[in-house]
Amino acid sequence: MNFPEKFLWGGAVAANQLEGAYNEDGKGLSIQDVLPHGLKGPRTDVPTEDNLKLKGIDFYHRYKEDIRMFAEMGFKVFRTSIAWSRIFPHGDEEEPNEKGLQFYDDLFDTCRQYGIEPMVTISHYETPLYLAEKYHGWTNRKLIDFYLRYAKTIFTRYKDKVKYWLTFNEINSILESPFMSGGIPASKEELSEADLYQAIHHELVASALATKLGHEINPEFQIGCMVLAMPIYPLTPDPSDVICSMEQNQRNEMFLAVQARGEYPGYAKRYFQDHRIHIHMEDGDEQALRNTVDFISFSYYVSVCATADPKKNKRGEGNLLGGVPNPYLKSSEWGWQIDPQGLRYVLNDFWDKYQKPLFIVENGLGAADELVELPDGTKTVNDDYRIDYMREHLKQVGEAIADGVPVMGYTSWGCIDLVSASTAEMRKRYGFIYVDRNNDGSGTLERYRKKSFYWYQHVIKTNGREL
């Protein structure tokens, strides 16, 4: 495989899934602090002891040790997020929390000490809870101003420490998860499509204006959008299935089209018209949307199918956006279908449509790892299944590069074990580094290098020539 000489190898995490310290140093509550079961259970009114995210893996206090291990693997880039409620505890304050700002100063300084470029997601499923409860999340246009104040604060503070920025994590996931993705305290069933797409419009305007603002603060910033990429194949060659899959793909990709091209595509306008959805735009919104991103980033875990036949339209587990299972694919322990070739398909598809450089910022295998002791007394995880998964996906990245697709880098998801977003458990592990923490909260929090740690170290050292 011939990866570009300056290909950015690394790993990715989210603040709410590993930092812990949910109420330290002035941090306010985020929506994650009242989701003890992720997407699998109801919200709570206040944080509860069964919410593993409140303590995470204590990255807040152990980040120097963890970043040192990332450097040992050879990371060129480390994707993380800033917890919005560490900087603005309620989200609508005039002045930021200095202790929160200082934590990320120290974190980014440590990254750069090891030659690791930080990549920062501005909003990664962690809207301040106060903004959800008082303002009804992104349905309220006031959140644009709150978000821009937050973005301006961190852009200015870290303008010499952070080069790569992502505006929203998996922005299209709001279609299925309005609370976790959009801070909207209503279920998908309770929310009207008109209110949902108005919230989406507010996020898209905020993303565009933040992109403009970031470039004004530091023209060297590279600012990207981030979507959940999940190719939807027709279940059969029936033309009705083909059109059904096309329409479902378009619904997800509208977010990309707006952020990469600067306007709503025709198919979105038709959808709004057909469904009697009126997007209220204020003066300047259309011009604001023309501030397009520098690159497109995305997560990729799974592909699904679509069919127009109601008898066959049975949703599988999949990722947040669901879909009909593909009969030709195997599944992970959590029902996510494994499709390495789908990654090559996505890379080619996005490049052909949007002509923006691409960055794979999430990919990996969640599995129930077993920690074992070796004869020399050290402990590890023999996770050949993870190595196989990643090897096959990286082969397809190489194929896409050979196809002429400009791929900037690859950051595997959960490079150190963390709390799952979808299930809020530790048992579903993605990392190269095992963290001794169990679903019941017990464990020493000691870190152990898995077999995949050394495999990925070699992949980076050889720049992907030896997978």
Side-chain angles (χ1 to χ4, degrees), residues 293-304:
V293 293
D294 300 309
F295 66 97
I296 290 169
S297 75
F298 61 90
S299 61
Y300 178 80
Y301 298 100
V302 64
S303 65
V304 295

Side-chain angles (χ1 to χ4, degrees), residues 193-208:
E193 274 207 302
D195 286 343
L196 175 63
Y197 277 97
Q198 190 63 52
I200 288 167
H201 177 69
H202 295 155
E203 284 194 318
L204 291 170
V205 170
S207 175

Side-chain angles (χ1 to χ4, degrees), residues 149-192:
R149 181 184 300 157
Y150 161 52
K152 182 178 182 180
T153 299
I154 58 177
F155 281 155
T156 303
R157 179 77 170 223
Y158 310 123
K159 63 182 173 60
D160 298 321
K161 299 182 180 184
V162 177
K163 178 180 179 181
Y164 299 99
W165 300 87
L166 308 179
T167 52
F168 288 91
N169 178 71
E170 293 183 333
I171 189 171
N172 52 335
S173 64
I174 193 173
L175 294 170
E176 293 292 325
S177 182
F179 184 64
M180 188 160 78
S181 185
I184 304 169
S187 69
K188 183 178 65 169
E189 293 72 26
E190 296 168 332
L191 195 62
S192 72

